[in-house]
Amino acid sequence: MILPFKRKSVIKNPASIGNFPQSASLKYMLVILTIICSFLLPGTARSANFSASSGFTYVDIANSVKELQQRTEGASPAIVSIVAYDMTGTESGRGSGFFIDTEGRIITNAIIFENAYSAEVASETGNYDNVSILNINDKFDLALIQVNANNEHQLDIDYTYNIKVNEKVDIIGKSDKFERTVSEGNISSISITPEDVKLIKFKKRLPISSFKASNDGPLLNSSGKVIGITTESFAAKNIFGTKSIINDNELNNAISAHSIKTFLSSPGIIHDLQPSGSKVWHKWMLKSLKNVFIVSFITFYSIGFTKTIGIIFAVIMSISLVQWIYNKLKKIKNNR
């Protein structure tokens, strides 16, 4: 880096450095710290938009990363990955959830279980392929499920927490490779539905760390307590009638912890899913035939009508030729 003062004057009069304006010296010091941070904490300077004029220091960023890691490390053992399958054994839904007690109850999203025939849950201590749906609410995208687990780590839910606009929150989930995903954000608005369910809208941003971004999972406050659960299906459900809440890359939605408590207190009819990997053979066959038909139709359509007729004629002639040869060989064998 070339500093904006003459090298010659510095050599002649080193004491003049002490007279250099303090604000400029601080500015260059922060620039140097930015470069150091980019090596020590990959992605830090980029994610935090760190600059000489931002007011951040290396210590601020280091402390922020440390606090985030502590919060996520404390919550991570309770986060699970959930995969649902349809009747053909094909994956039909995937997402994150979290244990709310040590007996295997999990809060997650209802959209995961749309068309679900079987499911499996993976935690840091085990895999569970027998899943029961205890309650589900498609409108607010909530599901309460149960697995046969004991002594799993649970997250504490603060049902009475008073959420405030501009408050800092974290979202923690698990990716399809069972890696921890984390996003930070700030509460942008709070609204109440006619059903007295509190909806939270928050603006998401990538954290100043190397974590992958999280799109689902529990919504945590700065103390690591659950204050809500993220949801994704508001736009399709039209919760406010003609007015719908629409997700984009930055704005996400969540149901407050208070509303989760109401959901937990009114269990529905228990529905036991089949063990993971189960499938109905004729459903699988019909789906396979459907896929073959679609692929064949697209292939024939793309090559044109004339070539398609030619291919069909060639196939028919080939089958006829094979049948003729088979009959001849069979006749010769019988004459012997």
Side-chain angles (χ1 to χ4, degrees), residues 112-300:
I112 298 173
F113 300 99
E114 189 174 1
N115 301 320
Y117 180 72
S118 64
E120 61 182 336
V121 173
S123 71
E124 292 189 1
T125 59
N127 295 326
Y128 308 98
D129 61 359
N130 289 298
V131 180
S132 298
I133 300 177
L134 304 182
N135 196 8
I136 197 162
N137 187 318
D138 292 320
K139 183 174 183 179
F140 295 105
D141 196 19
L142 292 174
L144 174 64
I145 65 175
Q146 173 89 48
V147 297
N148 186 22
N150 290 307
N151 300 321
E152 284 281 6
H153 186 82
Q154 70 180 82
L155 287 183
D156 294 328
I157 304 176
D158 193 338
Y159 296 109
T160 60
Y161 187 78
N162 185 22
I163 304 169
K164 299 180 177 63
V165 175
N166 295 324
E167 181 176 354
K168 184 178 178 180
V169 292
D170 300 321
I171 314 126
I172 303 177
K174 289 289 172 67
S175 70
D176 54 354
K177 297 180 180 179
F178 204 67
E179 298 173 331
R180 191 188 314 170
T181 59
V182 180
S183 291
E184 294 180 307
N186 291 89
I187 304 296
S188 59
S189 66
I190 302 169
S191 56
I192 306 295
T193 71
E195 295 86 353
D196 197 31
V197 172
K198 184 179 291 185
L199 302 181
I200 307 166
K201 186 180 284 291
F202 57 94
K203 188 171 185 180
K204 186 180 66 176
R205 65 179 183 275
L206 293 176
I208 49 175
S209 68
S210 58
F211 291 117
K212 292 183 179 179
S214 181
N215 296 316
D216 63 351
L219 191 71
L220 307 178
N221 62 11
S222 58
S223 300
K225 297 291 184 68
V226 177
I227 60 173
I229 179 171
T230 58
T231 59
E232 298 183 8
S233 61
F234 284 167
K237 303 303 180 182
N238 291 322
I239 291 177
F240 288 105
T242 57
K243 179 182 178 182
S244 62
I245 300 177
I246 301 176
N247 287 327
D248 57 32
N249 292 331
E250 291 185 346
L251 292 176
N252 290 73
N253 304 294
I255 299 288
S256 70
H258 174 73
S259 301
I260 294 175
K261 184 177 182 180
T262 303
F263 175 73
L264 296 177
S265 63
S266 55
I269 299 175
I270 298 177
H271 175 56
D272 294 326
L273 297 178
Q274 297 298 315
S276 173
S278 300
K279 57 187 177 183
V280 180
W281 70 268
H282 65 273
K283 293 285 185 179
W284 172 84
M285 181 177 291
L286 288 175
K287 186 170 184 177
S288 299
L289 291 175
K290 180 181 177 181
N291 292 337
V292 170
F293 175 79
I294 293 174
V295 171
S296 300
F297 177 80
I298 294 174
T299 302
F300 289 140

Side-chain angles (χ1 to χ4, degrees), residues 18-119:
N19 296 326
F20 198 73
Q22 184 177 0
S23 59
S25 299
L26 179 60
K27 178 178 180 180
Y28 294 119
M29 185 181 296
L30 291 176
V31 172
I32 294 172
L33 286 175
T34 302
I35 298 173
I36 295 174
C37 290
S38 65
F39 287 100
L40 296 180
L41 298 169
T44 295
R46 179 179 66 255
S47 300
N49 293 324
F50 186 78
S51 65
S53 60
S54 66
F56 285 104
T57 67
Y58 171 75
V59 176
D60 293 331
I61 296 177
N63 288 337
S64 181
V65 171
K66 184 178 180 180
E67 291 173 1
L68 177 63
Q69 289 176 336
Q70 289 175 343
R71 293 196 301 272
T72 57
E73 286 173 1
S76 183
I79 309 298
V80 299
S81 176
I82 304 168
V83 183
Y85 304 92
D86 63 17
M87 285 188 175
T88 67
T90 304
E91 181 178 318
S92 59
R94 179 184 289 268
S96 301
F98 62 95
F99 285 107
I100 63 172
D101 57 32
T102 60
E103 304 305 318
R105 290 199 305 164
I106 298 168
I107 282 281
T108 184
N109 298 119
I111 196 171
I112 298 173
F113 300 99
E114 189 174 1
N115 301 320
Y117 180 72
S118 64

